[in-house]
């Protein structure tokens, strides 16, 4: 068998595991079209182009770009029967540009730069499985907390601003839950930092499993997490927080042959479209409720708007 085209594993440092690398190698000749977000809040995101996809701010857009200057249904991108990929402007307010040229319709070439609105810049590219795995791993590394697997603080700050802007424009509710592990210093003192890490890792995974797929869990800092809930008002957000609180209290976090008892306190705040607060103000409102939960005995949910 001709192995002249084999990859040098030393050159591919971003792929998470040897198994992933080998799986990618086996599909290396399968080329697919992708859009890579190179500027804007979602920079690094990789989007595989399938059939016909709408780009825009609309909630049902397959590629949602909730950024300045993007129309609700801004453009459409689609794979053609001859294997090419075409992008078409859908009568957007600010137009669609390919390589800085306004277009109505254009067949894309590998490396073309697509500008949607004022700040969203995407690169069109044909990628094989290895390139896709590397790009996805880079994006995950940039937006995920390495210990817990939850989104990181940088991602949260950008997502909170985008979600709040979306809620204002569409007069939709947005809720934020701030979560703090109770007596976490005592956990570290009794079980050591590896035990504390085991708690953080377990709770990050548990919260991600417990909330809806469209909700977002982020590690805000230290033992504090944040959960963004789109299209969820205060009453439903409190129910969600209570569900997560119970799951944490009932969880068995095991480390070094010991079960570590864990509880957490929750603060919930919400906005309803219109001229709502800044992201920082929303966090502060949820944090005030969190501190109240701590003062009232911990392992509880407190809320306010």
């Amino acid at each position: 068998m001709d192995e002249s085209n084999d990859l040098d594993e030393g050159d591919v440092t971003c792929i998470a595991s040897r198994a992933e690398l080998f799986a990618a190698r086996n599909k290396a000749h399968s080329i697919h079209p992708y859009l890579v977000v190179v500027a804007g809040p979602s920079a690094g995101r990789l989007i595989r182009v399938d059939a016909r996809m709408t780009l825009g701010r609309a909630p049902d857009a397959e590629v949602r770009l909730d950024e300045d200057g993007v129309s609700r249904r801004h453009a459409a991108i689609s794979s053609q029967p001859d294997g090419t990929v075409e992008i078409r402007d859908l009568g957007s307010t600010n137009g669609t540009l390919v390589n800085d040229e306004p277009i109505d319709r254009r067949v894309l070439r590998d490396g073309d730069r697509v500008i949607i609105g004022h700040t969203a810049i995407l690169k069109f590219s044909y990628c094989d499985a290895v390139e896709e795995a590397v790009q996805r791993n880079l994006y995950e590394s940039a937006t995920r907390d390495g210990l817990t697997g939850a989104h990181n603080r940088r991602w949260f700050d950008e997502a909170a601003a985008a979600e709040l802007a979306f809620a204002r424009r569409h007069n939709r509710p947005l809720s934020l839950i701030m979560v703090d592990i109770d007596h976490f210093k005592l956990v570290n003192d009794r079980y050591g930092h590896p035990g504390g890490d085991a708690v953080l890792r377990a709770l990050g995974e548990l919260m991600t499993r417990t909330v809806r797929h469209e909700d977002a869990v982020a590690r805000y800092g230290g033992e504090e997490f944040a959960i963004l809930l789109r299209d969820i008002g205060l009453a439903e957000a409190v129910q969600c927080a209570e569900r997560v609180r119970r799951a944490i209290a009932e969880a068995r976090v095991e480390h070094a042959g010991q079960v570590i008892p864990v509880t957490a306190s929750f603060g919930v705040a919400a906005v309803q479209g219109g001229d709502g607060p800044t992201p920082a103000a929303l966090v502060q409102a949820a944090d005030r409720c969190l501190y109240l939960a701590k003062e009232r005995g911990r392992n509880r949910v407190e809320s306010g708007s």
Side-chain angles (χ1 to χ4, degrees), residues 186-207:
L186 295 180
V187 172
N188 279 329
D189 290 345
R190 181 172 180 180
Y191 301 97
H193 288 286
D197 286 350
V199 168
L200 290 169
R201 187 163 45 246
L203 265 59
E205 294 171 355
L206 184 152
M207 284 187 278

Side-chain angles (χ1 to χ4, degrees), residues 4-28:
S4 60
N5 290 326
D6 276 1
L7 291 170
D8 180 353
E9 290 182 37
D11 292 336
V12 185
T13 59
C14 299
I15 296 182
S17 68
R18 183 182 295 270
E20 185 179 357
L21 174 60
F22 288 164
R25 275 178 168 174
N26 291 336
K27 298 186 293 183

Side-chain angles (χ1 to χ4, degrees), residues 33-53:
Y34 291 88
L35 291 171
V36 181
V37 182
V38 298
S42 302
R45 178 184 170 200
L46 185 69
I47 305 158
R48 179 167 167 171
V49 178
D50 290 316
R52 185 183 187 278
M53 306 166 68

Side-chain angles (χ1 to χ4, degrees), residues 94-114:
N94 295 300
T96 300
L97 282 70
V98 175
N99 300 328
D100 298 321
E101 179 185 341
I103 61 98
D104 291 321
R105 188 186 297 261
R106 173 74 61 87
V107 172
L108 293 173
R109 298 170 300 178
D110 191 48
D112 277 349
R113 187 177 70 157
V114 179

